[in-house]
Amino acid sequence: MKKLPDALQRSTVARHATLSSPTRTTTGLKLLGAALGAVLVAAIAVTAFVVIDLATRATADSVALEGAPDIAPPALGEFPGAFDLLLTGTDECGEISRQYLGERCEGEEGPLNDANLLVHVSENPRRVTVISFPRDLMLRVPSCTHEDGSEASEMSKQPLNTVFAHAGLSCVAKTVGELTGFPVGFAAKLSFDGVIEMTNAIGGVDICIAEPGLSDEHTGLNLPAGMHTVQGVEALQFLRTRHGVGDESDLARISNQQQYMSRLAKKILSADVLGNPATVLRLANTVAENIVPSAELSNPLRLGQLALAIRDVPFSDFVFVQFPTLTDPEDPDRVVADEDAAAALFAALEANQPLELTGGVSPNEGVEEVTPSAEPAPDPTSTPDEERAVLPSEITGVTVEQETCSAGNLR
């Protein structure tokens, strides 16, 4: 075999350099670096898989919202501007709830959208207002388009909780948007099983029961006075109870649910949840499994944008209110909108004013306000000198910094 010319021969060692033998230390560092690199690559791969998996599952049953505002594609950072999100809870049973509710799940008409909450998040400065609408609110339902493209007719006056069965989640969002004047850009539906699974994912919610305790044979809930952590089926029982609180009306139940949601908001915004990656991942996975989102809400990046938008909202500007109503003159068991009081609420939200509630925490004795167990620390993000919009006394509700207890109606 011919030998290459000297000029074309490549040495594997730099000329004039001193060769050193590899030591155990250098070999160990190289192996450690390779191992760390492998772990990093694996972590990135797992994270990518989780995100793609969550996105795929969330998108599978997503619903397009008719008449929703144009929304920019998801991006890094918090969501720009104000937005409105509708959360609808239906009375649909699943494998878990069917085991506990039995006959309650059989032969029911529906499904009914018994819980309807509009989450309004303002532009900067950020404020969160959650409006609960009574299930028996009589209102106009606009014409809507079914998912298969067919048309659902307009109805001049129907109970709000029949709209989902009439034309689906998109129609509920369109109806609430027309009632409030705030076009709904995002929406999600949650069933009985979803409530059970999501409360399990965060380890339950602490709720307060006032003397003499709470008992409701209709839901099977029995809780003595004091603090309790409810999750799973017990959380569903607590959210469903009507006969166990106040005057046994749906309005009393809404106040009871607002206690739960206020304490839930505190927990999710705390380090116990948002500061725990394992809990966040478990919650994200549970959300993907148990909600039916609107199309714009099915992207994990979008969920991150919305979460970032509310992370620094002071508890005094995180407000839960009941939509103001009057007794329906045509049916004493139904309610209609109190248009004057509602107009004052919507004007304050449109102007992005902080809210001052004057109507108390419950119109039907569903809850009672209590003194917090510990004095809250000053919030550096709050704006105490900013003029607040004083809402009419017909509007009741609670801020997250307030504490309430369920007023059981044991006699």
Side-chain angles (χ1 to χ4, degrees), residues 331-360:
D331 185 346
D333 293 327
R334 308 281 188 180
V335 294
V336 293
D338 182 338
E339 296 182 359
D340 291 339
L345 171 63
F346 299 148
L349 297 182
E350 185 69 36
N352 193 12
Q353 292 179 277
L355 304 179
E356 180 177 334
L357 299 172
T358 63

Side-chain angles (χ1 to χ4, degrees), residues 63-392:
V63 176
L65 295 184
E66 181 184 2
D70 292 333
I71 298 173
L76 294 175
E78 72 175 56
F79 187 84
F83 62 88
D84 293 272
L85 186 154
L86 176 75
L87 296 176
T88 292
T90 61
D91 64 352
E92 297 168 283
C93 291
E95 293 182 7
I96 302 173
S97 52
R98 198 175 300 277
Q99 298 174 29
Y100 295 93
L101 300 181
E103 294 181 359
R104 165 66 181 77
C105 298
E106 306 300 332
E108 288 285 330
E109 295 182 6
L112 301 174
N113 50 301
D114 279 341
N116 302 276
L117 300 92
L118 182 67
V119 183
H120 176 78
V121 180
S122 70
E123 59 185 350
N124 288 319
R126 296 289 193 183
R127 298 184 174 93
V128 178
T129 306
V130 183
I131 307 172
S132 296
F133 298 88
R135 64 192 297 274
D136 296 323
L137 174 63
M138 303 297 290
L139 76 178
R140 173 185 173 274
V141 179
S143 61
C144 298
T145 303
H146 288 289
E147 291 185 49
D148 62 5
S150 61
E151 287 293 315
S153 61
E154 172 187 342
M155 296 184 289
S156 60
K157 189 178 181 182
Q158 287 292 318
L160 175 58
N161 72 332
T162 64
V163 178
F164 182 82
H166 176 64
L169 179 62
S170 176
C171 197
V172 180
K174 186 176 181 181
T175 301
V176 171
E178 291 200 1
L179 173 67
T180 62
F182 295 107
V184 177
F186 309 100
K189 178 185 76 74
L190 190 67
S191 63
F192 285 164
D193 277 16
V195 172
I196 293 171
E197 295 285 29
M198 290 184 69
T199 57
N200 284 336
I202 62 171
V205 176
D206 296 332
I207 53 97
C208 175
I209 306 297
E211 293 286 357
L214 189 160
S215 179
D216 183 358
E217 63 180 10
H218 297 273
T219 63
L221 183 65
N222 288 280
L223 293 173
M227 296 298 299
H228 302 270
T229 300
V230 294
Q231 66 183 85
V233 174
E234 193 171 50
L236 178 63
Q237 292 173 313
F238 181 78
L239 290 170
R240 290 186 61 230
T241 186
R242 176 167 64 86
H243 298 283
V245 292
D247 64 0
E248 303 188 19
S249 68
D250 186 50
L251 300 181
R253 171 164 53 187
I254 287 177
S255 298
N256 195 53
Q257 292 171 344
Q258 286 179 335
Q259 187 218 157
Y260 177 94
M261 292 185 294
S262 175
R263 295 179 184 272
L264 172 64
K266 278 184 182 177
K267 181 162 188 176
I268 289 180
L269 294 172
S270 72
D272 290 343
V273 175
L274 290 184
N276 187 324
T279 303
V280 170
L281 182 59
R282 185 165 62 250
L283 183 58
N285 184 66
T286 305
V287 168
E289 288 284 355
N290 290 282
I291 72 165
V292 175
S294 63
E296 287 289 355
L297 196 63
S298 62
N299 188 302
L301 190 57
R302 176 74 77 200
L303 291 173
Q305 281 189 294
L306 302 187
L308 286 173
I310 66 171
R311 61 179 174 173
D312 294 324
V313 175
F315 285 171
S316 59
D317 285 335
F318 210 121
V319 185
F320 295 87
V321 300
Q322 288 201 35
F323 181 77
T325 59
L326 302 168
T327 301
D328 185 350
E330 298 177 359
D331 185 346
D333 293 327
R334 308 281 188 180
V335 294
V336 293
D338 182 338
E339 296 182 359
D340 291 339
L345 171 63
F346 299 148
L349 297 182
E350 185 69 36
N352 193 12
Q353 292 179 277
L355 304 179
E356 180 177 334
L357 299 172
T358 63
V361 294
S362 176
N364 297 76
E365 303 175 344
V367 296
E368 57 187 51
E369 187 171 5
V370 295
T371 303
S373 53
E375 195 68 27
D379 190 337
T381 64
S382 64
T383 52
D385 295 330
E386 188 173 0
E387 184 178 355
R388 292 185 171 270
V390 180
L391 297 181

